[in-house]
Amino acid sequence: MPVVHIATVVPISITVGANRIVPAIAIPHPLGDPKMDKVEEKLVRREMVVKALNTLTTEISEQTVF
Amino acid sequence: MKLEVGNIHVKELAFGNESALSGHRVEIDKEALTGFIREIDHRITEVKLDIALPGEATRIMPVKDVIEPRVKVEGKGSIFPGRNAGENDIVGEGRTHVLKGMTVMTTGKVVGFQEGIIDMSGPGAEYTPFSSTLNLVITCEVDEACNQYDHEQILRTVGLETARKVGELAKTATADETKTYETLPTLQQAAQYPDLPKVGYVYMLQSQGLLHDTYLYGVDVKNIVPTILYPTEVMDGAIFSGNCVSACDKNPSLVHQNSPVIHELYEQHGKKYNFMGVIVTNENVTLADKERSSNWVAKLAVQQGWDAAVVSEEGFGNPDADLVMNCNKLEAAGIKTVLLTDEYAGNQGESQSLADSTPKGDAVISNGNANMIISLPAMERLIGHDTYVDMIAGGTEGSLRADGSISIEIQAITGATNELGFHNLTARQG
Amino acid sequence: MRILHYINQFFGQKGGEEAANHPIELVEGPVGPGGALNNLLGDKAEIVNTIICGDSYFNENEGVAVMGIKEIIEQVKPDLIVAGPAFNAGRYGVACGRVGKLAAEMGITCISGMYPENPGYDLYKQTAYMVETKNSAADMRKALPNMAALISAFIEKEGKLGMPAEDGYMPRDLRVNMFAEKRGAARAVDMLIAKLAGEEFTTEYPMPVFDNVAPFAALKSLKDAKIALVTSGGVVPKGNPDHIESSSAQKYGEYSIEGIFDLTEETHETAHGGYDPVKCNENSDVVLPVDVLRDLEKEGVIGSLHNMFYTTVGNGTSVSNSKKFGAEIAQKLLDAGVSAAILTST
């Protein structure tokens, strides 16, 4: 089963061996930003999730940060 | 910058009719000090003062901060500078008096996942450096209308202000011992010992939000870029704590005031190496901040001409990535590193201990495995609240038993695996 | 001190390979090497019972054997379990190691002895104290006094054995807490001086190496894929019903999001103690993006969102616990026919 890791601290994700990696916004709110208004924040979250989903249909041969 | 630190050894702490220092005895006027604390913030609803002494069957929890009473005797500024208007002088020069051997501790209802257990006797006492000090404990509660940030800030201010107030008792006292620490401006310091290798200290500070914050001259360090300090500034309280979650490896203010690596580096200064100074940096929650701060650390260390550095972490998990970045970037710049950390190796010590890793980290000091489970017997007296045991970091469902005893990871004990190397616990391959 | 001794059919004098299917037998007092060990221990300890079990029997019926031995331990209530020595006998070493693991789970210490290359050592070194022996029973004359010395140390130190070299057992690959003579900061400066001078020094913690796995083949399409959400950010239904720990998690949670289109302050929060929880407590979608995945499900971008999500707290949680949770969660997702997973971390 392919897995995508959405993580803020990408170097840790690489060290621990995740293969598909999508960088996140910040540790306490990887898929959001308290400074944004709610509508905008949800749009950003959607973009990140779509990006993450697209990694799942992308063949890779080694650890890849998208 | 030159600072004389005069220690007055406190051997007795008691409540009395008047707050006073006489010889080695500190007396506290309970009523007057309670009134002083209540005046600090109108949202304070309850203040209780207790004294906890070594050897007593006393448990204090959840402990928020531990602070050492100090006072400026000569030189500019005040202890814990930068918080109030008119208190923005640079500290670290002149003379400071310390009530050595006593502390001011803060406790109260839980602010978040707040913890910090201090047992004054029994098996837990061995794991905290504060079971051997005379502790003036403030239990402070606030108005329920306060949000978590306000609550934390009020308790933080209460601790710092009370320690300062108590510290004033030492202003005119005669010190039992005086130690002098001096670091010259960079060019002069480099010239003082031209043949010795230049070393410095990279002081990583927790800066991840509520109950994970640290302050530098009153500035929340998540908002700084790394900067340079004279080591003596720290002794006057330039760095103070707003954090306590996973109490084993968060630095109470007292540990900053007595910053162990700074004091140990002064020991061989001018003999084995030339101790140039301190770079303070943060451990922020975004990758961009982590990259920027570690780049600045390496840049400043090169700019200062360092040959080697001691790097200490605060906390664990994602800050392991900051530690690794600092190590890699310093080593890449030709600066040798020694790292201080602690471990999360599992209850039995069965797994690897860090979240990030680097082959460059070949010189590591371990301050112990925080996941080790300890059994703490019930105590006769409880200061604070023990109802949170199951939910604090290191606790689990059923940690607090019906008889008042506790089974918990040493993670919950204040200072158990302090990563500034304040204590003696370590872990080895066995 | 009362000792229960585990030995195989050969040392139990039941026969060689032809008796390897000998089932579990409990006898009183010491048998075979147990006699000599008992003599070496003198008044300090006594082997009260011996378990004799065939090597093939144990390894081919491990579950049954472990259950039987567990019952015996409960009945005998020994203070200490001794297993072997097994030298380089592979099945015997594995059995001794497994008995050690069982003992550890029951809160009883096990002391064994074997050759370092015996697979029983590598498999079970973390749950027993094992004395190093040579690779054949010819070493019995040395192995037994070494085991007796370790048992004596165990008794004298009231169960708190020192480091491997000090008390004579093989490294257990465990991180063991101890109090050093000098504090950490002083040791750091000593190490710095040594490193600067190019002198030898020993790191107190060799940096870890993590496992890697090959990337899994990509999905052909998202339109018919069932996507699951997994997080180490501690998102739980409000009130944290399973009491997942705020740090050093001992468990993970499995929660339904059937009929849930948005995580709100009223429904979800975080149990994680390692980051500022305020934002996640207001809107847990910022850690576990249920809201947008429900939208994408409705729009047909993905086939479906799996109706269960899996969650734990990454804060201070050991790699060993994480591995265990990961394996169980992965199996559950496979069993549920999930096509791919999104893992979010804080």
Side-chain angles (χ1 to χ4, degrees):
Chain A
M1 178 190 319
V3 175
V4 55
H5 189 201
I6 302 179
T8 304
V9 192
V10 173
I12 291 184
S13 188
I14 291 169
T15 301
V16 303
N19 286 320
R20 292 175 167 86
I21 301 167
V22 170
I25 294 170
I27 289 161
H29 39 84
L31 291 127
D33 189 338
K35 287 183 199 133
M36 289 178 181
D37 73 54
K38 289 216 162 108
V39 177
E40 183 63 21
E41 187 190 54
K42 191 172 170 188
L43 266 175
V44 168
R45 176 156 60 252
R46 184 182 161 111
E47 278 170 17
M48 288 179 70
V49 169
V50 167
K51 184 178 177 188
L53 288 167
N54 288 334
T55 72
L56 296 169
T57 54
T58 308
E59 292 294 353
I60 54 168
S61 56
E62 57 182 5
Q63 288 186 291
T64 306
V65 180
F66 288 86
Chain B
M1 196 174 265
K2 185 171 167 183
L3 182 69
E4 289 177 7
V5 177
N7 291 325
I8 292 103
H9 293 292
V10 179
K11 292 178 179 152
E12 287 176 77
L13 174 64
F15 291 117
N17 292 328
E18 195 187 352
S19 290
L21 167 69
S22 46
H24 299 112
R25 180 180 171 89
V26 169
E27 283 197 12
I28 299 292
D29 178 344
K30 202 174 185 175
E31 205 175 318
L33 191 61
T34 304
F36 169 83
I37 295 168
R38 290 201 75 122
E39 286 298 310
I40 291 173
D41 195 294
H42 68 276
R43 292 165 293 183
I44 295 171
T45 55
E46 207 181 317
V47 174
K48 189 165 138 288
L49 293 178
D50 289 283
I51 287 169
L53 302 175
E56 288 179 354
T58 296
R59 170 164 300 144
I60 311 154
M61 79 168 292
V63 174
K64 187 178 180 298
D65 199 6
V66 185
I67 309 120
E68 190 168 65
R70 293 189 170 208
V71 64
K72 285 304 290 177
V73 178
E74 287 163 25
K76 278 186 181 173
S78 48
I79 303 294
F80 304 123
R83 295 169 304 125
N84 306 318
E87 290 188 1
N88 278 289
D89 281 322
I90 298 296
V91 293
E93 256 180 318
R95 185 176 174 91
T96 297
H97 277 178
V98 184
L99 289 174
K100 203 84 210 161
M102 76 163 285
T103 80
V104 170
M105 270 179 201
T106 46
T107 181
K109 283 206 184 90
V110 82
V111 175
F113 295 108
Q114 182 194 321
E115 53 262 29
I117 298 177
I118 292 174
D119 279 0
M120 299 307 292
S121 62
E126 213 181 341
Y127 288 88
T128 176
F130 307 112
S131 59
S132 55
T133 48
L134 315 175
N135 304 313
L136 176 64
V137 189
I138 308 164
T139 309
C140 177
E141 313 296 358
V142 303
D143 193 322
E144 283 182 10
C146 289
N147 67 27
Q148 289 170 301
Y149 298 106
D150 293 339
H151 192 166
E152 188 282 322
Q153 185 264 324
I154 294 167
L155 280 169
R156 169 161 37 97
T157 306
V158 161
L160 299 176
E161 292 293 344
T162 308
R164 257 191 358 181
K165 182 79 182 165
V166 174
E168 284 169 13
L169 300 176
K171 187 141 190 170
T172 55
T174 308
D176 295 309
E177 55 172 353
T178 299
K179 287 185 183 164
T180 304
Y181 304 92
E182 184 172 23
T183 298
L184 301 172
T186 304
L187 295 182
Q188 293 168 37
Q189 187 57 59
Q192 191 181 18
Y193 305 111
D195 300 329
L196 291 177
K198 296 180 193 64
V199 308
Y201 176 32
V202 176
Y203 203 152
M204 295 172 58
L205 301 172
Q206 184 63 226
S207 57
Q208 311 226 328
L210 184 65
L211 294 171
H212 301 79
D213 285 326
T214 309
Y215 296 83
L216 173 67
Y217 279 92
V219 179
D220 184 339
V221 297
K222 70 165 71 74
N223 300 317
I224 67 166
V225 287
T227 189
I228 294 168
L229 294 185
Y230 285 100
T232 51
E233 292 177 73
V234 179
M235 300 176 187
D236 277 346
I239 299 172
F240 49 87
S241 169
N243 78 66
C244 58
V245 177
S246 293
C248 65
D249 60 10
K250 298 307 180 326
N251 302 314
S253 297
L254 182 145
V255 174
H256 290 303
Q257 294 171 294
N258 291 278
S259 199
V261 173
I262 288 174
H263 284 81
E264 295 293 348
L265 278 172
Y266 268 127
E267 289 292 314
Q268 301 289 333
H269 175 45
K271 292 174 221 151
K272 300 272 189 186
Y273 47 72
N274 186 356
F275 178 24
M276 297 292 294
V278 176
I279 297 172
V280 281
T281 183
N282 49 21
E283 303 170 349
N284 279 9
V285 297
T286 68
L287 187 57
D289 282 358
K290 288 181 188 302
E291 288 170 342
R292 181 187 312 108
S293 289
S294 52
N295 285 337
W296 275 67
V297 164
K299 179 195 75 170
L300 290 172
V302 170
Q303 196 178 356
Q304 294 294 303
W306 294 3
D307 298 301
V310 175
V311 185
S312 66
E313 185 183 2
E314 183 169 12
F316 57 93
N318 78 74
D320 296 347
D322 298 273
L323 182 71
V324 161
M325 286 181 188
N326 285 327
C327 171
N328 283 341
K329 290 173 186 180
L330 288 165
E331 291 275 350
I335 296 166
K336 294 186 169 75
T337 58
V338 172
L339 314 177
L340 285 124
T341 184
D342 64 349
E343 304 189 32
Y344 286 75
N347 294 155
Q348 310 295 328
E350 70 278 10
S351 41
Q352 59 219 30
S353 308
L354 298 183
D356 205 355
S357 182
T358 170
K360 295 283 182 199
D362 62 357
V364 181
I365 297 295
S366 164
N367 292 292
N369 174 21
N371 290 138
M372 185 193 110
I373 291 178
I374 189 168
S375 201
L376 305 174
M379 291 280 159
E380 285 166 22
R381 179 167 70 141
L382 172 74
I383 303 174
H385 311 275
D386 68 359
T387 45
Y388 305 108
V389 170
D390 289 5
M391 65 180 280
I392 66 179
T396 186
E397 200 178 353
S399 274
L400 179 64
R401 305 193 190 103
D403 65 357
S405 67
I406 292 172
S407 166
I408 200 158
E409 292 183 5
I410 59 168
Q411 191 182 162
I413 297 179
T414 301
T417 63
N418 184 279
E419 291 164 286
L420 301 193
F422 192 61
H423 207 34
N424 295 55
L425 191 70
T426 185
R428 293 296 150 79
Q429 200 71 11
Chain C
M1 172 159 293
R2 300 168 70 252
I3 295 175
L4 175 64
H5 192 194
Y6 177 91
I7 54 176
N8 73 354
Q9 81 283 355
F10 179 74
F11 292 101
Q13 294 153 6
K14 299 293 169 188
E17 195 53 38
E18 75 284 359
N21 283 306
H22 188 80
I24 298 168
E25 182 185 346
L26 179 68
V27 296
E28 295 214 351
V31 178
L37 190 60
N38 221 17
N39 290 338
L40 286 165
L41 291 169
D43 299 337
K44 284 181 239 168
E46 188 194 356
I47 295 175
V48 289
N49 286 96
T50 303
I51 297 171
I52 303 167
C53 181
D55 286 335
S56 293
Y57 180 85
F58 189 100
N59 284 280
E60 286 164 19
N61 309 282
E62 191 188 305
V64 178
V66 166
M67 213 185 302
I69 293 166
K70 188 176 179 202
E71 277 172 24
I72 291 174
I73 294 172
E74 280 165 354
Q75 189 190 321
V76 175
K77 296 191 176 66
D79 302 306
L80 177 72
I81 292 171
V82 174
F87 306 103
N88 201 23
R91 286 170 306 164
Y92 188 19
V94 169
C96 287
R98 184 67 188 86
V99 168
K101 184 170 181 236
L102 169 68
E105 286 159 5
M106 298 175 74
I108 300 168
T109 298
C110 175
I111 288 175
S112 185
M114 63 187 74
Y115 185 58
E117 289 174 25
N118 190 315
Y121 170 59
D122 200 42
L123 280 169
Y124 296 111
K125 62 188 167 191
Q126 293 194 329
T127 43
Y129 295 95
M130 300 186 187
V131 167
E132 180 174 347
T133 72
K134 295 244 165 59
N135 63 359
S136 85
D139 187 44
M140 189 67 90
R141 271 184 308 160
K142 278 187 190 158
L144 287 180
N146 287 344
M147 285 174 71
L150 182 57
I151 295 166
S152 301
F154 177 80
I155 296 168
E156 276 158 29
K157 296 182 176 179
E158 294 176 344
K160 288 177 188 156
L161 285 172
M163 301 304 276
E166 181 188 327
D167 279 322
Y169 59 90
M170 294 189 283
R172 296 189 302 156
D173 198 19
L174 291 178
R175 300 296 297 168
V176 181
N177 276 346
M178 55 182 282
F179 288 96
E181 209 167 292
K182 286 185 176 181
R183 65 179 182 167
R187 302 200 307 277
V189 172
D190 288 348
M191 201 178 277
L192 187 79
I193 292 168
K195 196 168 175 178
L196 272 170
E199 288 162 10
E200 246 184 67
F201 60 90
T202 309
T203 185
E204 294 179 359
Y205 179 65
M207 282 274 176
V209 178
F210 289 83
D211 300 341
N212 274 49
V213 291
F216 201 86
L219 297 178
K220 292 279 172 284
S221 134
L222 290 170
K223 289 203 179 320
D224 44 13
K226 186 172 179 180
I227 305 292
L229 275 173
V230 181
T231 187
S232 60
V235 174
V236 289
K238 189 95 179 169
N240 190 11
D242 294 315
H243 309 286
I244 296 176
E245 294 79 2
S246 60
S247 181
S248 189
Q250 305 299 319
K251 49 179 150 347
Y252 62 89
E254 180 183 20
Y255 301 109
S256 172
I257 38 172
E258 198 169 354
I260 293 179
F261 294 89
D262 190 14
L263 308 182
T264 67
E265 204 168 354
E266 286 72 39
T267 63
H268 289 80
E269 64 183 5
T270 181
H272 200 292
Y275 63 86
D276 182 340
V278 172
K279 176 72 189 168
C280 185
N281 287 344
E282 272 169 28
N283 177 12
S284 293
D285 292 306
V286 300
V287 176
L288 195 81
V290 171
D291 58 350
V292 297
L293 277 162
R294 284 295 185 209
D295 290 350
L296 293 165
E297 182 184 40
K298 202 161 37 180
E299 295 161 24
V301 176
I302 59 169
S304 64
L305 175 62
H306 184 40
N307 270 331
M308 302 297 279
F309 79 89
Y310 292 83
T311 180
T312 191
V313 164
N315 187 32
T317 301
S318 66
V319 174
S320 53
N321 280 2
S322 307
K323 272 185 167 173
K324 195 173 71 186
F325 302 161
E328 289 180 24
I329 292 168
Q331 191 57 54
K332 287 183 175 177
L333 296 181
L334 286 172
D335 293 347
V338 168
S339 333
I342 296 175
L343 170 61
T344 65
S345 284
T346 50

